[in-house]
Amino acid sequence: GAVVSQHPSWVICKSGTSVKIECRSLDFQATTMFWYRQFPKQSLMLMATSNEGSKATYEQGVEKDKFLINHASLTLSTLTVTSAHPEDSSFYICSAAPGGYEQYFGPGTRLTVT
Amino acid sequence: DAKTTQPPSMDCAEGRAANLPCNHSTISGNEYVYWYRQIHSQGPQYIIHGLKNNETNEMASLIITEDRKSSTLILPHATLRDTAVYYCIVRASGGGADGLTFGKGTHLIIQP
């Protein structure tokens, strides 16, 4: 089946620094990838839609200058959390669709900002 | 996308069938019913989807009522590894291009 990977699986960074999270589709190409965020005991919230070769589309309330998304190829999208603060600590999950109806999710990246 | 309603939690004995209900009374004609699950601290996993006919795959069966206002996900022989939060999502066809809207889901606990 379609496999999506994320790297790193967990990261700890200091407040004010930036951290990059990679999302790769391993055995299919994805024109569109999605980024979600999940706080403890809450459901997933869509942050942005990442389109290969064009600017990402952000959901209302998500700061595009803080969460930089780059979709440089059909198999890679990156999310960079800039000037991270403790309130950005969360579980970040990406997904991709190989052109069908279902989306395949990565295993997630747990970010802790100290 | 239409709104869905699921019970917050359910218990099921290991080896028995787990039946997870979902109400989607405002579903429109071109909207599909999708089911995903999320095991603790992992990314969601696609289970099954359907439009109006019942569907079955290696993981589960999906039963959609004739009026399409509700559906049931059936895990025929639940195991401890099926303990997870199950999300019922309604969305338009060709939905690969759209992000998903997750509700609170049903926390299914399989008891040994």
Side-chain angles (χ1 to χ4, degrees):
Chain A
V3 179
V4 176
S5 70
Q6 282 185 240
H7 178 79
S9 55
W10 59 271
V11 58
I12 301 172
C13 72
K14 294 188 180 231
S15 187
T17 63
S18 296
V19 60
K20 180 186 286 187
I21 302 169
E22 292 185 349
C23 175
R24 293 182 184 273
S25 54
L26 297 185
D27 49 5
F28 66 95
Q29 293 184 330
T31 304
T32 304
M33 292 184 174
F34 306 91
W35 287 96
Y36 297 81
R37 180 169 53 181
Q38 186 175 33
F39 292 108
K41 298 189 185 302
Q42 294 187 23
S43 191
L44 283 81
M45 294 290 293
L46 179 66
M47 297 176 66
T49 301
S50 168
N51 297 296
E52 187 266 338
S54 64
K55 291 184 178 180
T57 303
Y58 291 83
E59 296 298 302
Q60 192 172 8
V62 177
E63 300 174 57
K64 63 180 181 180
D65 295 330
K66 180 170 186 61
F67 298 99
L68 302 180
I69 292 172
N70 183 276
H71 194 154
S73 76
L74 289 172
T75 60
L76 173 64
S77 176
T78 61
L79 168 69
T80 300
V81 183
T82 63
S83 187
H85 290 286
E87 56 265 31
D88 298 323
S89 298
S90 188
F91 193 46
Y92 292 87
I93 307 167
C94 71
S95 74
Y101 292 95
E102 60 268 25
Q103 287 187 16
Y104 294 94
F105 287 80
T109 296
R110 186 156 307 279
L111 170 63
T112 302
V113 184
T114 61
Chain B
D1 295 340
K3 180 179 170 57
T4 63
T5 304
Q6 300 178 251
S9 64
M10 292 181 62
D11 287 350
C12 179
E14 187 178 19
R16 305 296 293 270
N19 297 280
L20 292 90
C22 178
N23 285 322
H24 31 79
S25 59
T26 61
I27 192 170
S28 50
N30 68 339
E31 289 184 315
Y32 287 70
V33 180
Y34 285 78
W35 284 84
Y36 286 80
R37 73 179 182 184
Q38 185 179 25
I39 295 170
H40 183 62
S41 294
Q42 296 183 24
Q45 176 188 22
Y46 165 80
I47 301 173
I48 198 167
H49 76 279
L51 182 62
K52 53 183 179 181
N53 297 322
N54 297 338
E55 301 288 345
T56 295
N57 62 20
E58 64 278 5
M59 289 184 67
S61 295
L62 174 60
I63 308 298
I64 302 173
T65 58
E66 193 168 341
D67 63 7
R68 302 207 325 122
K69 293 186 177 182
S70 66
S71 60
T72 301
L73 178 74
I74 301 172
L75 307 179
H77 304 287
T79 70
L80 298 179
R81 288 174 298 192
D82 292 322
T83 292
V85 179
Y86 287 76
Y87 297 99
C88 169
I89 298 172
V90 171
R91 58 199 303 236
S93 60
D98 299 322
L100 298 177
T101 301
F102 286 83
K104 297 184 184 300
T106 295
H107 187 193
L108 175 66
I109 300 171
I110 306 301
Q111 304 281 2

